[in-house]
Amino acid sequence: MCGIAGYIPLKKNEVDASRLKEMTNVISHRGPDDEGFFIDELVGLGHRRLSIIDLSKDGHQPMSNDDGLIITYNGEVYNYIELREELEKEGEIFKTKTDTEVILAAYKKWGRDCVKKFNGMWAFAIYDSKNKILFCSRDHYGIKPFYYTRKENVFLFGSEIRQLLFSFEKPIMNEEVVRNFLFASVNESVDKTFFKNIVKLPGGHNLTINLKTGKIEIEEYYSLERDLALSTLPMEESIEKFGEDFLKSIKIRLRSDVVVGSCLSGGLDSSSVASIASNIYKTDSGRNFSAITAVSEEVKNDESGFAKIVAENGEMNWITVKPDYTTFKEHLPEIVKAQEEPFGSCSIVMQFLVMKSAKENGITVLLDGQGGDETLLGYERYYVGYLIGMFKKHGFFRGISELKISNKNNALFTPLTLLKYLIHFSSARFRYIIYRKRHSYLKRMPEYPMGMRFSDGAIWDIFEMQKKELMDYNLPKLLRFEDKNSMWYSIEARLPFLDPDLVKTSLSIPEESKINEGWTKFVLRKFVNNILPKEITWRKNKFGFEAPEDTWIKKHSNEMIKSIEDSDILRYLCKMDEIEKSYDSLENETKWKLYSVALWEKEFNVQPGEGY
């Protein structure tokens, strides 16, 4: 896990070595163990290393081989051992034990198709000095970031936005992205950022630059597809197949030459990951596994009691952090700086402090449960799509029967609640009307934001709804938060639920194995039924690392109002007199988003527009 930088001069200019060094230095937190550079007349590559696999100097980057390939790489290809063995059979000779060298050999053997064989998370650039090609790639779901900008005479890329800001006289907001963020629950775009002219390579995509012509091509190499052979599996076989892939995903993500631990909220996903990982880790290393929990000072969303049960059951080294308002206030400026873009909730603070605790306790790799809800129908909104599927496949009476049984095990699955979800996710126009009323303080309403339109009609096909949430809507923002929070403290976060084989299995097995009699994520519950205590496996509520939002926002209200009033961007976008009049009646989410934009503007000196 590392940080990368690239300075690619176009039109026969030279690499600015001092700029490249600056681009690499500002991400030293992503790689405190080593730095390196490669510069020739066409390409400048920079690297900061966080040593995880092969801690020796053999892992130094940018790394080159005898075939004229040079790489700067951030991430982990977990199946590098299997790939190395495959390549050795083809005659490839390796000089190191790193996954980085395996990537170079894989590119030599399979070209750009090599990424289709990788199981992992990555953002890298390979310079093919013989053919004058720069090949860049980002992992299936965009776990690792790849930002870039193209000016007239230079192409720049990096792991963080701050690396690219020097190329602009003044950072300018991307008005569309900021307005959509304020208007709807759209916290992330797959290819745009909150900064004008700074963009992202989407997950599952490659980018290639012909250095002779300067031509840039972007291609999609990965798209979620359903395995029809799994779609009719009986329940027991679905559980067996899911469990097999889940165990494999966790085991391969424990490959490390440094200490591995886990986030533990007390919910089903993180509890399952931590408990299974703990058993494997203790068997393989002889040491107790560590798990870190964020404790909320509000009883209504505190899950630490459940986390304690899991930790004791798994004989884990349990570490807790309990941030109060003072801690929140002290760390907020640093979190704003780390995130680089506005964020829609102060719950992100809890995750940030878990990462800080990992650093303080010498844990360099943390497993986490991101992706479990999206792949296993964990959100209540999926239930309407599930019921529709039941009516389609099994008829009216089966659907009604399922609805009655579900309400016994899940109080949220009432006919009224389901009707609300059906209306909400069937009509973008209905949602748009609600948001227009809620955000009447905006001077100009956006047209239907993509994040609002994404599920229009998708509720009638639950696979399509899951696919869009994973690739386009819900997951990308969670991955951004996780990457920025973890790497700020030089922590590598690994996500077992997002193993591509496990994702395909999870989305392909029958819906009845994921929602059953009101139990969401049923296949996971059944698989861990003899691993976790029953009060965890069959919990009916969940929170995640939720912050004591009501308490913090109430105490922080004066500072929030002042920052909002002082914001040039908000004055440009909003009717400030209306915000001031109605501020107390605004929802916490709206207050926080306005405040987050103001904090971001101040931290990065962002301007509303040209000549403002």
Side-chain angles (χ1 to χ4, degrees):
M1 185 65 66
C2 309
I4 62 175
Y7 190 110
I8 317 302
L10 306 173
K11 299 186 178 180
K12 298 183 179 180
N13 292 307
E14 294 183 351
V15 174
D16 188 331
S18 63
R19 284 295 191 190
L20 179 62
K21 185 169 181 61
E22 180 185 344
M23 291 171 66
T24 307
N25 285 345
V26 297
I27 55 165
S28 60
H29 51 276
R30 297 186 76 94
D33 298 327
D34 191 17
E35 71 172 356
F37 301 92
F38 170 86
I39 297 175
D40 72 1
E41 71 279 4
L42 294 177
V43 167
L45 302 176
H47 189 264
R48 293 291 313 205
R49 184 185 182 198
L50 176 62
S51 302
I52 302 291
I53 300 291
D54 189 347
L55 308 185
S56 73
K57 293 181 180 179
D58 289 344
H60 178 78
Q61 292 188 50
M63 181 182 287
S64 59
N65 68 6
D66 296 336
D67 298 287
L69 301 177
I70 303 99
I71 186 173
T72 182
Y73 155 55
N74 168 29
E76 302 287 352
V77 172
Y78 304 117
N79 63 332
Y80 74 101
I81 294 175
E82 291 78 8
L83 289 172
R84 184 171 64 195
E85 291 173 352
E86 182 179 348
L87 289 162
E88 284 175 334
K89 291 177 182 177
E90 297 288 332
E92 189 69 33
I93 298 174
F94 291 91
K95 300 176 182 178
T96 76
K97 296 179 180 179
T98 66
D99 59 330
T100 309
E101 188 182 14
V102 172
I103 293 175
L104 285 177
Y107 180 76
K108 171 189 171 184
K109 176 68 177 176
W110 298 299
R112 64 185 64 182
D113 284 342
C114 66
V115 296
K116 297 178 182 179
K117 299 178 76 72
F118 295 162
N119 181 340
M121 53 182 182
W122 66 83
F124 64 70
I126 295 176
Y127 173 36
D128 182 345
S129 60
K130 291 182 179 178
N131 295 305
K132 308 306 178 189
I133 293 291
L134 186 74
F135 173 69
C136 308
S137 182
R138 192 176 181 199
D139 64 73
H140 304 78
Y141 311 108
I143 299 172
K144 292 291 100 188
F146 189 100
Y147 297 100
Y148 68 95
T149 185
R150 181 177 184 177
K151 310 281 283 190
E152 184 178 354
N153 297 319
V154 66
F155 177 90
L156 307 169
F157 69 83
S159 297
E160 296 187 2
I161 293 170
R162 71 187 83 250
Q163 297 172 267
L164 312 179
L165 292 178
F166 75 87
S167 63
F168 300 92
E169 183 178 347
K170 292 180 180 179
I172 305 295
M173 73 165 175
N174 184 322
E175 186 172 336
E176 175 194 1
V177 173
V178 176
R179 182 177 281 108
N180 286 349
F181 170 74
L182 292 173
F183 182 77
S185 299
V186 185
N187 295 326
E188 201 76 11
S189 164
V190 294
D191 58 353
K192 300 181 178 107
T193 73
F194 282 76
F195 294 85
K196 186 178 181 181
N197 296 324
I198 296 179
V199 294
K200 296 176 287 190
L201 181 64
H205 283 70
N206 297 328
L207 182 152
T208 304
I209 304 179
N210 185 322
L211 298 171
K212 298 174 186 176
T213 64
K215 183 179 179 181
I216 299 175
E217 293 183 358
I218 296 176
E219 63 171 353
E220 183 181 44
Y221 69 84
Y222 174 75
S223 178
L224 263 175
E225 301 296 339
R226 182 183 269 141
D227 185 345
L228 296 179
L230 300 180
S231 64
T232 57
L233 281 184
M235 178 67 75
E236 290 304 315
E237 291 183 33
S238 293
I239 296 168
E240 182 180 353
K241 172 61 175 169
F242 169 82
E244 177 184 318
D245 288 350
F246 190 40
L247 281 175
K248 190 185 301 182
S249 173
I250 293 174
K251 189 173 181 61
I252 204 171
R253 279 162 181 76
L254 288 172
R255 288 178 172 174
S256 169
D257 294 325
V258 295
V259 177
V260 182
S262 184
C263 301
L264 176 60
S265 69
L268 179 63
D269 297 342
S270 66
S271 297
S272 300
V273 169
S275 295
I276 293 172
S278 179
N279 291 336
I280 299 172
Y281 192 78
K282 192 170 185 177
T283 300
D284 291 349
S285 69
R287 293 177 292 174
N288 281 355
F289 193 67
S290 294
I292 307 176
T293 300
V295 182
S296 173
E297 58 181 341
E298 286 181 2
V299 176
K300 67 180 182 180
N301 60 11
D302 177 32
E303 289 189 292
S304 60
F306 295 107
K308 182 180 181 181
I309 293 171
V310 174
E312 289 178 348
N313 182 70
E315 298 180 339
M316 302 175 201
N317 173 33
W318 189 45
I319 303 164
T320 62
V321 292
K322 187 176 182 179
D324 56 15
Y325 169 68
T326 301
T327 308
F328 156 76
K329 186 176 179 181
E330 288 175 352
H331 285 84
L332 187 56
E334 191 177 11
I335 296 169
V336 171
K337 186 175 182 179
Q339 282 295 316
E340 299 189 301
E341 297 178 279
F343 46 95
S345 166
C346 57
S347 289
I348 192 174
V349 176
M350 306 293 270
Q351 186 188 64
F352 185 82
L353 294 172
V354 165
M355 301 303 172
K356 181 183 180 184
S357 178
K359 179 75 170 181
E360 293 169 347
N361 285 277
I363 304 168
T364 308
V365 174
L366 275 184
L367 306 185
D368 205 352
Q370 299 287 18
D373 285 317
E374 289 81 3
T375 56
L376 295 173
L377 305 181
Y379 298 125
E380 278 73 26
R381 59 179 171 266
Y382 290 132
Y383 192 66
V384 176
Y386 165 72
L387 271 184
I388 290 171
M390 288 294 98
F391 279 109
K392 285 181 178 179
K393 290 197 309 188
H394 303 295
F396 177 80
F397 292 107
R398 170 66 185 275
I400 293 297
S401 175
E402 184 69 24
L403 177 58
K404 289 179 179 179
I405 296 173
S406 297
N407 189 226
K408 293 179 182 179
N409 292 326
N410 194 323
L412 293 174
F413 291 162
T414 65
L416 180 59
T417 302
L418 295 174
L419 180 61
K420 289 179 180 178
Y421 277 124
L422 178 61
I423 295 172
H424 187 77
F425 287 103
S426 295
S427 172
R429 182 166 296 279
F430 175 76
R431 295 197 299 281
Y432 186 68
I433 292 170
I434 292 175
Y435 282 121
R436 280 184 66 97
K437 183 177 181 181
R438 183 181 300 170
H439 304 290
S440 60
Y441 57 82
L442 287 171
K443 290 180 180 177
R444 182 165 68 85
M445 298 293 172
E447 293 191 35
Y448 298 121
M450 183 58 68
M452 183 176 292
R453 287 183 281 130
F454 90 100
S455 61
D456 229 27
I459 200 166
W460 304 100
D461 185 338
I462 203 165
F463 173 80
E464 286 301 316
M465 190 174 183
Q466 285 184 273
K467 183 176 179 178
K468 288 177 180 178
E469 289 216 331
L470 278 163
M471 304 304 297
D472 302 327
Y473 178 61
N474 198 56
L475 187 64
K477 67 180 179 184
L478 301 178
L479 297 181
R480 189 250 289 189
F481 301 158
E482 182 110 37
D483 173 79
K484 299 296 179 73
N485 281 341
S486 60
M487 291 308 293
W488 190 254
Y489 286 108
S490 309
I491 302 297
E492 175 172 296
R494 297 179 174 182
L495 311 175
F497 282 105
L498 292 182
D499 181 286
D501 292 334
L502 179 61
V503 169
K504 190 167 190 175
T505 292
S506 299
L507 268 67
S508 298
I509 56 178
E511 280 75 28
E512 298 97 305
S513 63
K514 288 172 278 191
I515 294 180
N516 193 283
E517 297 186 352
W519 295 108
T520 59
K521 296 185 277 197
F522 188 73
V523 65
L524 174 60
R525 295 179 195 269
K526 292 291 286 184
F527 179 69
V528 299
N529 192 42
N530 295 322
I531 299 173
L532 292 177
K534 298 297 184 287
E535 57 263 53
I536 306 300
T537 308
W538 302 103
R539 276 186 63 186
K540 297 182 181 181
N541 61 337
K542 63 177 182 179
F543 307 122
F545 284 150
E546 286 192 15
E549 188 175 82
D550 292 341
T551 300
W552 288 356
I553 287 181
K554 184 177 181 180
K555 289 184 177 181
H556 207 58
S557 182
N558 289 338
E559 293 195 29
M560 291 175 69
I561 293 170
K562 187 177 186 308
S563 294
I564 290 169
E565 290 176 340
D566 291 343
S567 167
D568 288 338
I569 285 178
L570 294 179
R571 274 196 295 271
Y572 178 83
L573 295 174
C574 305
K575 306 168 190 173
M576 295 304 291
D577 57 338
E578 189 169 325
I579 289 178
E580 290 168 1
K581 289 177 184 176
S582 61
Y583 182 83
D584 289 340
S585 62
L586 294 177
E587 297 176 333
N588 278 344
E589 180 186 5
T590 299
K591 292 177 182 177
W592 182 265
K593 288 198 290 186
L594 290 165
Y595 181 51
S596 187
V597 168
L599 291 177
W600 165 71
E601 171 189 352
K602 183 179 180 181
E603 173 62 36
F604 295 96
N605 192 28
V606 186
Q607 307 297 306
E610 301 285 352
Y612 184 83

